[in-house]
Amino acid sequence: MTLAVTVPFATPPEEDTGAVLFLEHFKESLTSLEISHYVIEGEFPKGILNLSTKEAKTTEYNKDLSTLLPASNLHIDIHSYNYETYPDWIDRDIVLGVLPTFTNTKLLGSLKRHLIDVSSIYIEDLILEFSYASVLSELIFDVKSIPLYLNENSVALYPVVAEKLAEFVDQIGPSDYSETSIEDNPMQH
């Protein structure tokens, strides 16, 4: 199992400070469980170039995505938010994003159940045009993607959420990446 982790807004100013902080905890948790992973961080500030849109096409970030996503079994795209960016989500610790027609909702449901005891977690539809890495992962490379949004007011939860997320990644198998598992489709071997 190899995991690709992206943080498109990792460069100051205007970085997703919560995503950058969470990434450090998550990398520690992945390493402690010996999970093979790649990390791709955006090299432009959000105000200069929005790497969550098609503007990313001509960047090193896109080149890294195009190289590392095909070598991965799963992708997690990490963002953070506050009252200014997503005011409707401010009472939520974590939001898992759904890309209409692409997202494996069974996988997201399993992740939600795994994290529910440590945080308030919701599943919300996302706009495809603002989910570049996840769309590229799912549509072009056929690698399941989990868009993960973290509330910047929930920083105290980041270490335990990072640990639980790494446990989840460690526990899932290839059948969890497909829409139907072997249990759902006995003809699949």
Side-chain angles (χ1 to χ4, degrees):
M1 153 66 131
T2 301
L3 175 68
V5 179
T6 53
V7 179
F9 304 123
T11 303
E14 300 179 76
E15 73 270 27
D16 280 356
T17 55
V20 172
L21 179 60
F22 179 81
L23 179 62
E24 295 309 312
H25 295 293
F26 192 42
K27 288 191 301 189
E28 288 175 19
S29 295
L30 292 169
T31 301
S32 74
L33 292 174
E34 298 179 359
I35 297 171
S36 175
H37 62 280
Y38 302 109
V39 175
I40 308 165
E41 297 180 63
E43 74 272 22
F44 291 101
K46 192 185 306 187
I48 293 177
L49 190 64
N50 187 340
L51 295 175
S52 277
T53 69
K54 64 182 178 182
E55 291 179 32
K57 279 185 176 180
T58 60
T59 65
E60 284 298 314
Y61 177 75
N62 184 62
K63 289 178 188 170
D64 290 344
L65 285 172
S66 297
T67 301
L68 299 175
L69 284 173
S72 303
N73 305 95
L74 181 66
H75 168 242
I76 298 178
D77 190 29
I78 303 173
H79 299 263
S80 60
Y81 61 91
N82 56 40
Y83 184 79
E84 291 177 12
T85 54
Y86 287 96
D88 293 344
W89 295 357
I90 202 61
D91 62 335
R92 302 161 186 195
D93 297 321
I94 298 171
V95 173
L96 300 174
V98 172
L99 302 172
T101 72
F102 295 113
T103 300
N104 181 328
T105 54
K106 186 183 231 178
L107 182 66
L108 286 188
S110 294
L111 177 56
K112 180 179 179 180
R113 286 188 296 281
H114 193 77
L115 295 174
I116 198 74
D117 62 327
V118 296
S119 63
S120 67
I121 184 165
Y122 292 81
I123 297 176
E124 295 285 346
D125 287 340
L126 299 177
I127 299 171
L128 292 177
E129 291 83 0
F130 297 106
S131 305
Y132 182 79
S134 290
V135 170
L136 189 68
S137 181
E138 295 265 4
L139 181 64
I140 303 300
F141 298 111
D142 197 29
V143 174
K144 295 301 171 199
S145 183
I146 299 173
L148 177 70
Y149 289 75
L150 302 152
N151 189 329
E152 292 180 353
N153 293 325
S154 300
V155 174
L157 297 174
Y158 288 5
V160 69
V161 170
E163 187 176 305
K164 295 283 283 183
L165 181 58
E167 286 174 6
F168 178 79
V169 169
D170 193 42
Q171 292 171 6
I172 61 176
S175 66
D176 296 307
Y177 306 141
S178 64
E179 280 299 325
T180 57
S181 67
I182 292 171
E183 295 81 31
D184 296 331
N185 182 359
M187 299 305 290
Q188 185 180 13
H189 297 285

